[in-house]
Short mmCIF file of all heavy atoms in Angstrom, two decimals:
data_model
loop_
_atom_site.label_atom_id
_atom_site.label_comp_id
_atom_site.label_asym_id
_atom_site.label_seq_id
_atom_site.Cartn_x
_atom_site.Cartn_y
_atom_site.Cartn_z
N LEU A 19 -32.75 -68.11 -22.39
CA LEU A 19 -32.10 -66.82 -21.95
C LEU A 19 -30.62 -66.93 -22.11
O LEU A 19 -29.97 -66.06 -22.69
CB LEU A 19 -32.52 -66.51 -20.51
CG LEU A 19 -31.75 -65.35 -19.85
CD1 LEU A 19 -32.26 -64.02 -20.41
CD2 LEU A 19 -31.86 -65.38 -18.39
N ILE A 20 -30.04 -68.00 -21.55
CA ILE A 20 -28.59 -68.15 -21.56
C ILE A 20 -28.10 -68.34 -23.00
O ILE A 20 -27.06 -67.79 -23.32
CB ILE A 20 -28.21 -69.38 -20.68
CG1 ILE A 20 -28.50 -69.00 -19.17
CG2 ILE A 20 -26.72 -69.65 -20.82
CD1 ILE A 20 -28.20 -70.19 -18.24
N LEU A 21 -28.84 -69.01 -23.77
CA LEU A 21 -28.42 -69.25 -25.16
C LEU A 21 -28.46 -67.94 -25.91
O LEU A 21 -27.66 -67.73 -26.84
CB LEU A 21 -29.34 -70.28 -25.85
CG LEU A 21 -28.88 -70.78 -27.19
CD1 LEU A 21 -27.58 -71.54 -27.02
CD2 LEU A 21 -29.97 -71.77 -27.76
N THR A 22 -29.39 -67.05 -25.62
CA THR A 22 -29.55 -65.77 -26.29
C THR A 22 -28.43 -64.81 -25.99
O THR A 22 -27.97 -64.01 -26.85
CB THR A 22 -30.92 -65.12 -25.98
OG1 THR A 22 -31.94 -66.08 -26.27
CG2 THR A 22 -31.11 -63.86 -26.81
N ILE A 23 -28.00 -64.82 -24.74
CA ILE A 23 -26.92 -63.89 -24.29
C ILE A 23 -25.63 -64.24 -24.98
O ILE A 23 -25.16 -65.35 -25.00
CB ILE A 23 -26.70 -63.95 -22.77
CG1 ILE A 23 -27.95 -63.44 -22.07
CG2 ILE A 23 -25.57 -63.16 -22.40
CD1 ILE A 23 -27.88 -63.50 -20.57
N PRO A 24 -25.03 -63.28 -25.73
CA PRO A 24 -23.82 -63.60 -26.58
C PRO A 24 -22.58 -63.86 -25.80
O PRO A 24 -21.50 -64.07 -26.35
CB PRO A 24 -23.66 -62.34 -27.40
CG PRO A 24 -24.24 -61.27 -26.61
CD PRO A 24 -25.43 -61.90 -25.89
N SER A 25 -22.63 -63.91 -24.41
CA SER A 25 -21.46 -64.26 -23.65
C SER A 25 -21.27 -65.76 -23.60
O SER A 25 -20.24 -66.31 -23.07
CB SER A 25 -21.61 -63.78 -22.22
OG SER A 25 -22.76 -64.32 -21.62
N THR A 26 -22.24 -66.53 -24.22
CA THR A 26 -22.06 -67.97 -24.41
C THR A 26 -21.83 -68.26 -25.86
O THR A 26 -22.15 -67.41 -26.76
CB THR A 26 -23.26 -68.71 -23.93
OG1 THR A 26 -24.43 -68.23 -24.65
CG2 THR A 26 -23.53 -68.48 -22.46
N SER A 27 -21.31 -69.42 -26.20
CA SER A 27 -21.00 -69.75 -27.60
C SER A 27 -21.61 -71.08 -27.93
O SER A 27 -21.74 -71.94 -27.09
CB SER A 27 -19.52 -69.77 -27.85
OG SER A 27 -18.93 -70.82 -27.05
N VAL A 28 -22.01 -71.21 -29.16
CA VAL A 28 -22.47 -72.51 -29.72
C VAL A 28 -21.30 -73.14 -30.43
O VAL A 28 -20.24 -72.55 -30.66
CB VAL A 28 -23.67 -72.40 -30.65
CG1 VAL A 28 -24.88 -71.83 -29.95
CG2 VAL A 28 -23.34 -71.43 -31.83
N SER A 29 -21.47 -74.39 -30.85
CA SER A 29 -20.34 -75.15 -31.40
C SER A 29 -19.78 -74.55 -32.62
O SER A 29 -18.54 -74.69 -32.88
CB SER A 29 -20.81 -76.63 -31.69
OG SER A 29 -21.90 -76.63 -32.60
N ASN A 30 -20.57 -73.90 -33.48
CA ASN A 30 -20.10 -73.32 -34.66
C ASN A 30 -20.16 -71.81 -34.65
O ASN A 30 -20.56 -71.19 -35.59
CB ASN A 30 -20.81 -73.85 -35.88
CG ASN A 30 -22.29 -73.63 -35.85
OD1 ASN A 30 -22.84 -73.35 -34.73
ND2 ASN A 30 -22.94 -73.71 -36.99
N GLU A 31 -19.81 -71.21 -33.55
CA GLU A 31 -20.02 -69.80 -33.32
C GLU A 31 -19.34 -68.90 -34.37
O GLU A 31 -19.91 -67.98 -34.84
CB GLU A 31 -19.50 -69.36 -31.94
CG GLU A 31 -19.72 -67.94 -31.52
CD GLU A 31 -21.18 -67.73 -31.11
OE1 GLU A 31 -21.71 -68.44 -30.35
OE2 GLU A 31 -21.75 -66.78 -31.62
N ARG A 32 -18.11 -69.30 -34.79
CA ARG A 32 -17.43 -68.45 -35.69
C ARG A 32 -18.06 -68.39 -37.07
O ARG A 32 -18.14 -67.40 -37.69
CB ARG A 32 -15.97 -68.98 -35.84
CG ARG A 32 -15.14 -68.89 -34.57
CD ARG A 32 -15.11 -67.52 -33.95
NE ARG A 32 -14.53 -66.53 -34.83
CZ ARG A 32 -14.55 -65.23 -34.59
NH1 ARG A 32 -15.13 -64.77 -33.51
NH2 ARG A 32 -14.04 -64.37 -35.44
N SER A 33 -18.53 -69.50 -37.57
CA SER A 33 -19.21 -69.55 -38.86
C SER A 33 -20.72 -69.03 -38.69
O SER A 33 -21.24 -68.56 -39.64
CB SER A 33 -19.23 -70.98 -39.43
OG SER A 33 -19.86 -71.85 -38.57
N PHE A 34 -21.19 -69.19 -37.45
CA PHE A 34 -22.56 -68.84 -37.25
C PHE A 34 -22.76 -67.35 -37.13
O PHE A 34 -23.77 -66.79 -37.41
CB PHE A 34 -23.08 -69.55 -35.93
CG PHE A 34 -24.38 -69.02 -35.37
CD1 PHE A 34 -25.55 -69.50 -35.87
CD2 PHE A 34 -24.37 -68.09 -34.35
CE1 PHE A 34 -26.75 -69.07 -35.35
CE2 PHE A 34 -25.57 -67.65 -33.89
CZ PHE A 34 -26.78 -68.11 -34.38
N SER A 35 -21.68 -66.68 -36.62
CA SER A 35 -21.82 -65.27 -36.28
C SER A 35 -22.23 -64.38 -37.41
O SER A 35 -21.63 -64.36 -38.48
CB SER A 35 -20.46 -64.77 -35.72
OG SER A 35 -20.52 -63.37 -35.51
N CYS A 36 -23.28 -63.57 -37.20
CA CYS A 36 -23.75 -62.66 -38.23
C CYS A 36 -22.69 -61.47 -38.42
O CYS A 36 -22.60 -60.98 -39.50
CB CYS A 36 -25.10 -62.07 -37.79
SG CYS A 36 -25.82 -60.95 -38.98
N LEU A 37 -21.94 -61.25 -37.34
CA LEU A 37 -20.90 -60.16 -37.43
C LEU A 37 -19.90 -60.54 -38.44
O LEU A 37 -19.46 -59.62 -39.23
CB LEU A 37 -20.27 -60.00 -36.08
CG LEU A 37 -19.13 -59.01 -36.00
CD1 LEU A 37 -19.68 -57.60 -36.21
CD2 LEU A 37 -18.36 -59.11 -34.68
N LYS A 38 -19.49 -61.80 -38.55
CA LYS A 38 -18.56 -62.20 -39.54
C LYS A 38 -19.06 -61.99 -40.95
O LYS A 38 -18.37 -61.51 -41.86
CB LYS A 38 -18.16 -63.65 -39.37
CG LYS A 38 -17.13 -64.18 -40.32
CD LYS A 38 -16.76 -65.65 -40.06
CE LYS A 38 -15.69 -66.09 -40.98
NZ LYS A 38 -15.38 -67.51 -40.77
N ARG A 39 -20.36 -62.28 -41.22
CA ARG A 39 -20.94 -62.12 -42.53
C ARG A 39 -20.98 -60.65 -42.87
O ARG A 39 -20.79 -60.34 -44.01
CB ARG A 39 -22.34 -62.73 -42.55
CG ARG A 39 -22.39 -64.17 -42.16
CD ARG A 39 -23.69 -64.85 -42.64
NE ARG A 39 -24.85 -64.18 -42.02
CZ ARG A 39 -25.43 -64.49 -40.86
NH1 ARG A 39 -24.91 -65.54 -40.22
NH2 ARG A 39 -26.48 -63.88 -40.45
N ILE A 40 -21.30 -59.80 -41.94
CA ILE A 40 -21.37 -58.39 -42.21
C ILE A 40 -19.96 -57.80 -42.53
O ILE A 40 -19.86 -57.01 -43.46
CB ILE A 40 -21.97 -57.63 -40.99
CG1 ILE A 40 -23.44 -58.04 -40.83
CG2 ILE A 40 -21.80 -56.15 -41.11
CD1 ILE A 40 -24.05 -57.44 -39.63
N LYS A 41 -18.97 -58.21 -41.78
CA LYS A 41 -17.63 -57.69 -42.03
C LYS A 41 -17.12 -58.15 -43.39
O LYS A 41 -16.44 -57.45 -44.11
CB LYS A 41 -16.67 -58.14 -40.94
CG LYS A 41 -16.94 -57.45 -39.63
CD LYS A 41 -15.95 -57.78 -38.59
CE LYS A 41 -16.10 -56.99 -37.35
NZ LYS A 41 -15.14 -57.30 -36.28
N THR A 42 -17.47 -59.37 -43.79
CA THR A 42 -17.08 -59.85 -45.10
C THR A 42 -17.78 -59.03 -46.26
O THR A 42 -17.13 -58.64 -47.18
CB THR A 42 -17.52 -61.34 -45.27
OG1 THR A 42 -16.90 -62.12 -44.31
CG2 THR A 42 -17.17 -61.86 -46.67
N CYS A 43 -19.08 -58.67 -46.01
CA CYS A 43 -19.76 -57.82 -47.00
C CYS A 43 -19.22 -56.39 -47.01
O CYS A 43 -19.09 -55.80 -48.07
CB CYS A 43 -21.26 -57.86 -46.64
SG CYS A 43 -22.29 -56.82 -47.67
N SER A 44 -18.93 -55.88 -45.86
CA SER A 44 -18.52 -54.46 -45.78
C SER A 44 -17.14 -54.17 -46.29
O SER A 44 -16.72 -53.04 -46.38
CB SER A 44 -18.69 -53.93 -44.35
OG SER A 44 -17.80 -54.62 -43.49
N ARG A 45 -16.34 -55.19 -46.61
CA ARG A 45 -14.97 -55.01 -47.05
C ARG A 45 -14.91 -54.59 -48.51
O ARG A 45 -13.86 -54.31 -49.04
CB ARG A 45 -14.13 -56.27 -46.88
CG ARG A 45 -13.78 -56.57 -45.38
CD ARG A 45 -12.79 -57.68 -45.33
NE ARG A 45 -12.51 -57.94 -43.94
CZ ARG A 45 -13.11 -58.94 -43.25
NH1 ARG A 45 -13.93 -59.76 -43.87
NH2 ARG A 45 -12.82 -59.15 -42.02
N ASN A 46 -16.04 -54.56 -49.20
CA ASN A 46 -16.13 -54.14 -50.61
C ASN A 46 -15.57 -52.75 -50.72
O ASN A 46 -16.05 -51.87 -50.07
CB ASN A 46 -17.49 -54.23 -51.16
CG ASN A 46 -18.04 -55.63 -51.20
OD1 ASN A 46 -17.31 -56.54 -51.45
ND2 ASN A 46 -19.33 -55.80 -50.98
N SER A 47 -14.68 -52.51 -51.59
CA SER A 47 -14.11 -51.17 -51.83
C SER A 47 -13.44 -51.13 -53.17
O SER A 47 -13.17 -52.19 -53.82
CB SER A 47 -13.10 -50.81 -50.73
OG SER A 47 -12.01 -51.69 -50.76
N ILE A 48 -13.18 -49.91 -53.67
CA ILE A 48 -12.46 -49.79 -54.98
C ILE A 48 -10.96 -50.00 -54.63
O ILE A 48 -10.29 -49.14 -54.08
CB ILE A 48 -12.68 -48.43 -55.56
CG1 ILE A 48 -14.17 -48.29 -55.97
CG2 ILE A 48 -11.79 -48.19 -56.79
CD1 ILE A 48 -14.45 -46.94 -56.68
N SER A 49 -10.47 -51.12 -55.02
CA SER A 49 -9.04 -51.47 -54.76
C SER A 49 -8.34 -51.75 -56.05
O SER A 49 -8.90 -51.76 -57.12
CB SER A 49 -9.01 -52.69 -53.86
OG SER A 49 -9.56 -53.82 -54.49
N GLN A 50 -7.00 -51.94 -55.93
CA GLN A 50 -6.25 -52.27 -57.09
C GLN A 50 -6.66 -53.59 -57.78
O GLN A 50 -6.62 -53.76 -58.95
CB GLN A 50 -4.72 -52.31 -56.73
CG GLN A 50 -4.10 -50.98 -56.36
CD GLN A 50 -4.17 -50.00 -57.53
OE1 GLN A 50 -4.01 -50.35 -58.61
NE2 GLN A 50 -4.47 -48.73 -57.21
N VAL A 51 -7.17 -54.46 -56.94
CA VAL A 51 -7.70 -55.74 -57.44
C VAL A 51 -8.87 -55.59 -58.37
O VAL A 51 -8.97 -56.14 -59.43
CB VAL A 51 -8.03 -56.70 -56.29
CG1 VAL A 51 -8.69 -57.97 -56.78
CG2 VAL A 51 -6.85 -57.02 -55.42
N ARG A 52 -9.76 -54.67 -57.93
CA ARG A 52 -10.97 -54.40 -58.77
C ARG A 52 -10.56 -53.73 -60.08
O ARG A 52 -11.02 -54.04 -61.14
CB ARG A 52 -11.99 -53.60 -57.97
CG ARG A 52 -13.14 -53.15 -58.85
CD ARG A 52 -14.20 -52.40 -58.06
NE ARG A 52 -14.86 -53.31 -57.15
CZ ARG A 52 -15.98 -52.96 -56.47
NH1 ARG A 52 -16.47 -51.70 -56.61
NH2 ARG A 52 -16.61 -53.78 -55.66
N LEU A 53 -9.68 -52.73 -59.97
CA LEU A 53 -9.23 -52.02 -61.14
C LEU A 53 -8.51 -52.96 -62.13
O LEU A 53 -8.70 -52.91 -63.33
CB LEU A 53 -8.30 -50.92 -60.80
CG LEU A 53 -8.94 -49.71 -59.97
CD1 LEU A 53 -7.95 -48.73 -59.58
CD2 LEU A 53 -10.07 -49.04 -60.73
N SER A 54 -7.78 -53.88 -61.63
CA SER A 54 -7.12 -54.89 -62.45
C SER A 54 -8.09 -55.79 -63.15
O SER A 54 -7.99 -56.12 -64.29
CB SER A 54 -6.10 -55.76 -61.62
OG SER A 54 -5.15 -54.93 -61.03
N SER A 55 -9.17 -56.20 -62.44
CA SER A 55 -10.20 -57.00 -63.03
C SER A 55 -10.94 -56.27 -64.14
O SER A 55 -11.23 -56.87 -65.20
CB SER A 55 -11.15 -57.41 -61.97
OG SER A 55 -10.50 -58.18 -60.92
N LEU A 56 -11.15 -55.00 -63.98
CA LEU A 56 -11.84 -54.22 -65.00
C LEU A 56 -10.95 -54.13 -66.23
O LEU A 56 -11.46 -54.10 -67.35
CB LEU A 56 -12.22 -52.84 -64.50
CG LEU A 56 -13.34 -52.80 -63.40
CD1 LEU A 56 -13.56 -51.33 -62.97
CD2 LEU A 56 -14.59 -53.36 -63.95
N SER A 57 -9.67 -54.01 -65.96
CA SER A 57 -8.71 -53.94 -67.11
C SER A 57 -8.72 -55.23 -67.93
O SER A 57 -8.73 -55.25 -69.18
CB SER A 57 -7.31 -53.66 -66.61
OG SER A 57 -7.25 -52.40 -65.99
N ILE A 58 -8.80 -56.34 -67.22
CA ILE A 58 -8.88 -57.59 -67.93
C ILE A 58 -10.13 -57.71 -68.76
O ILE A 58 -10.16 -58.23 -69.86
CB ILE A 58 -8.80 -58.78 -66.90
CG1 ILE A 58 -7.46 -58.79 -66.23
CG2 ILE A 58 -9.10 -60.15 -67.54
CD1 ILE A 58 -7.33 -59.79 -65.09
N LEU A 59 -11.27 -57.22 -68.25
CA LEU A 59 -12.55 -57.24 -68.99
C LEU A 59 -12.39 -56.44 -70.29
O LEU A 59 -12.90 -56.82 -71.37
CB LEU A 59 -13.64 -56.64 -68.16
CG LEU A 59 -14.29 -57.57 -67.08
CD1 LEU A 59 -15.28 -56.74 -66.26
CD2 LEU A 59 -14.94 -58.74 -67.67
N SER A 60 -11.65 -55.31 -70.23
CA SER A 60 -11.50 -54.44 -71.45
C SER A 60 -10.53 -55.10 -72.41
O SER A 60 -10.84 -55.11 -73.60
CB SER A 60 -11.01 -53.09 -70.94
OG SER A 60 -10.76 -52.26 -72.11
N ILE A 61 -9.42 -55.62 -71.89
CA ILE A 61 -8.37 -56.15 -72.81
C ILE A 61 -8.83 -57.45 -73.46
O ILE A 61 -8.64 -57.70 -74.66
CB ILE A 61 -7.09 -56.42 -72.03
CG1 ILE A 61 -6.55 -55.02 -71.55
CG2 ILE A 61 -6.04 -57.07 -72.92
CD1 ILE A 61 -5.42 -55.15 -70.57
N GLU A 62 -9.51 -58.32 -72.73
CA GLU A 62 -9.87 -59.63 -73.25
C GLU A 62 -11.35 -59.62 -73.72
O GLU A 62 -12.06 -60.61 -73.49
CB GLU A 62 -9.71 -60.63 -72.10
CG GLU A 62 -8.28 -60.74 -71.59
CD GLU A 62 -7.36 -61.25 -72.65
OE1 GLU A 62 -7.80 -61.85 -73.68
OE2 GLU A 62 -6.08 -61.19 -72.44
#
């Protein structure tokens, strides 16, 4: 019960957290970096 409640932490909580993985995934967006990468694909 205590381990399940998120008010406690395990030794690798930051890397373990599913929230971190979701936020990493949800940051995908059309940015200048992506447009630059597409330009490189076309030019090269």
Side-chain angles (χ1 to χ4, degrees):
L19 170 77
I20 293 178
L21 194 62
T22 306
I23 295 178
S25 59
T26 59
S27 63
V28 294
S29 57
N30 59 341
E31 184 76 48
R32 296 305 300 171
S33 59
F34 168 82
S35 173
C36 185
L37 179 67
K38 182 178 180 180
R39 302 197 303 269
I40 291 175
K41 287 184 175 180
T42 300
C43 176
S44 63
R45 288 191 183 96
N46 295 325
S47 61
I48 294 183
S49 62
Q50 292 298 323
V51 175
R52 173 175 291 189
L53 294 176
S54 299
S55 300
L56 293 178
S57 300
I58 293 174
L59 282 175
S60 175
I61 296 170
E62 300 293 346

